Amino acid sequence: MGRLQHSVAALLLVLSIAAITGTTDAQDEQGPVVNIEGLGSVLGIMGQTAWTSRPIYKFFNIKYAEAPVGEQRFRAPVSVLPWSGVMNVTAPGRECPQSRTLSRDDPNPEDCLTLSVYSNDLQANRPVMLYIHGGAFVLGSAERFGPEYLLEKDIVLVVIQYRLGTLGFLSTGTERIPGNAAMYDVLESLEWVSRHIRHFGGNPQDVTIFGESAGGHAVSAMLHSPQVREDLFHRAIIQSGTTFMPWVTCQDPTEGSYDIARIIGCPMTSPTAIDNCLKQASVRDLVQAQDQHKKNEFSSPGYPKVAGACITVGGPFGDNNFMPVHPKDSTYFRNVSIIFGMNSQEGLIFFNEYFQYALDSQPIEFEDDWDFLEFVETVNVKFGSAAFVDAVVGYELLSKTTWEEMGRTDFLELVPVLIDIAGNLALKYGSVEEANRFARAHPGQIYLYNFDYVGPPSPMRPGFPYDVPNSVGHGDELKFLFPSNNLNEVHTQMAKIMVDLWTSFAITGVPQGENLIPWPPVSRPFGPYLRLVNPPEEKDYFVHELTNTVEKAQAPRESNALKRCLDLLLKRNPTK
């Protein structure tokens, strides 16, 4: 028998074994093949973990739903249909449409509803961790979130993609464009895992969903939606996200969608004409119009009611609504264990966005302290303080700045104050409120953290002329869960702590790690919680985390003041 015949025979043997057992080991250059019962076969590749070189079976961008095109645009997804042959999933596929993909010549940009699966034992029955990426509901993909750290432990990792921006969130309040298409994408991916993850060594009855930023908002939404079956997931980790955050739920989705339609140039003659135009608009026009709409909203007076990147609450669809009422108005709390947490300088990204969109990246020259007070009032309105009263601003200033600093009205000196205010209003208040509510409903099951470990530098925020010392910004914890940076030995220790905590929670429901102090569940309002540094520290009262940026910025000034005092003392009592 010739070499070619031998190769063909070997490949046929691999495929026949796959059909019988559901999996194979890597065979020469072919890679692992998994037969997904009822769908078809997929061909993956092999990799290895970062620290101990454990083998990893990698399957990139497996379709879980059909392309949402034509009349299915803006609608809930249709489950993927079976395919013939072997689907090649050996390399990352396309991202869902977003601003950074507009220059690509892609004839099928909306065919992006895929998920990646990583396992190191295809015959096992291991806990599953399903990750939802962030990106303000307008950016992101599965490609960035590899398994090389988390697969050091005995779990199966799934990373999903979902529709972004207008394609995933637009709502005109009609049956054709009802909103929340992206949330139904997430729901469909969970259903896919429930049906098929066993073929990859995962246990569908032991699923933890986790996500950061917009991914955290999506996890929170899954906790509150009556459309999500009780047994689709069993634990949750919410990193820097919550549906209690003001912009996550749409303030006026229909009017915002109409503004996007006007920017595109749709005829505004009737709801049907608007829907038809949006259904037929190019992907490029939809993405660019949402960005222009966002700029318009941030530049206008009052709260920015940005549409096309938020969850629609209520609507004319009765019990079929993804979110019939806002979680704040609901008494339903899904009975699962949850980790809630955030990073110290969350406000950097939020205030920077306001700085770019509303201030055109130019520092303000305050005329006096009254001028600064008025600006703080504006920041409150922009970041969702609907029940604004002067006492709120008074508390914020009392806890974050001195009279002397207010009197100097130096914008750069006051930026840490504004960062803390923006971060608290935009994220921290809502996250802690949601954690408190779940902790009261399900005592002993809720864990809270503040991540404050200073790791490798993050990319500079363009246009923002202020550097907060020792800042730990939005998303900085991700580099310790996913291998996006080359970590040195010291930072790798922190990554191992994070991996231990996250995977032990997915496996046992209790976050723990070797040689780490116990992580106590929340047992009273705002605490206790874990401060994630190396080594982690137990703290009592999360309110102390609301002035992190100011405290870090003031530390050098306090050190200088102490030095001046010591100098004076030495001058009075010189040493012999």
Side-chain angles (χ1 to χ4, degrees), residues 47 73 113 123 142 309:
R73 176 185 274 185
L113 299 185
Q123 304 294 336

Side-chain angles (χ1 to χ4, degrees), residues 213-271:
S213 190
H217 308 330
V219 173
S220 175
M222 296 298 121
L223 290 170
H224 295 285
S225 173
Q227 300 299 318
V228 181
R229 288 194 289 115
E230 291 286 343
D231 61 345
L232 280 183
F233 65 91
H234 311 85
R235 284 171 290 280
I237 304 173
I238 301 178
Q239 301 169 218
S240 302
T242 173
T243 48
F244 285 54
M245 185 174 172
W247 69 266
V248 175
T249 52
C250 304
Q251 302 299 310
D252 197 344
T254 300
E255 183 53 42
S257 298
Y258 283 2
D259 184 51
I260 290 170
R262 280 188 286 269
I263 293 169
I264 291 173
C266 293
M268 308 301 291
T269 53
S270 69

Side-chain angles (χ1 to χ4, degrees), residues 422-489:
N424 294 342
L425 289 169
L427 177 64
K428 291 189 177 183
Y429 291 157
S431 296
V432 176
E433 180 182 358
E434 187 176 17
N436 282 341
R437 291 193 180 198
F438 270 97
R440 184 176 186 180
H442 302 301
Q445 297 180 209
I446 309 303
Y447 300 87
L448 182 63
Y449 74 83
N450 184 72
F451 185 82
D452 198 26
Y453 180 82
V454 181
S458 295
M460 292 297 292
R461 294 160 180 85
F464 197 57
Y466 189 89
D467 182 33
V468 178
N470 299 317
S471 65
V472 181
H474 191 66
D476 278 357
E477 85 283 13
L478 294 177
K479 66 189 73 169
F480 302 98
L481 292 170
F482 302 101
S484 58
N485 294 73
N486 291 321
L487 302 181
N488 62 27
E489 184 177 350

Side-chain angles (χ1 to χ4, degrees), residues 346-356 359 375 379 383 411 415 418-419 422-423 464:
E346 295 286 1
L348 268 171
I349 191 171
F350 297 111
F351 186 71
N352 182 41
E353 189 167 67
Y354 178 71
F355 185 74
Q356 290 185 41
L359 304 183
F375 182 73
V379 170
F383 286 100
F411 182 82
V415 158
L418 301 170
I419 288 173
F464 197 57

Side-chain angles (χ1 to χ4, degrees), residues 161-213:
Q161 297 191 155
Y162 54 95
R163 281 171 281 181
L164 303 169
T166 44
L167 292 164
F169 295 92
L170 208 66
S171 172
T172 59
T174 66
E175 188 175 349
R176 296 178 70 200
I177 309 181
N180 298 330
M183 293 298 98
Y184 282 103
D185 294 345
V186 175
L187 179 55
E188 180 62 30
S189 73
L190 283 167
E191 293 284 2
W192 188 98
V193 166
S194 179
R195 293 190 293 264
H196 305 301
I197 200 62
R198 60 187 175 88
H199 298 294
F200 298 85
N203 180 358
Q205 300 303 315
D206 199 2
V207 176
T208 296
I209 58 173
F210 69 126
E212 184 270 342
S213 190

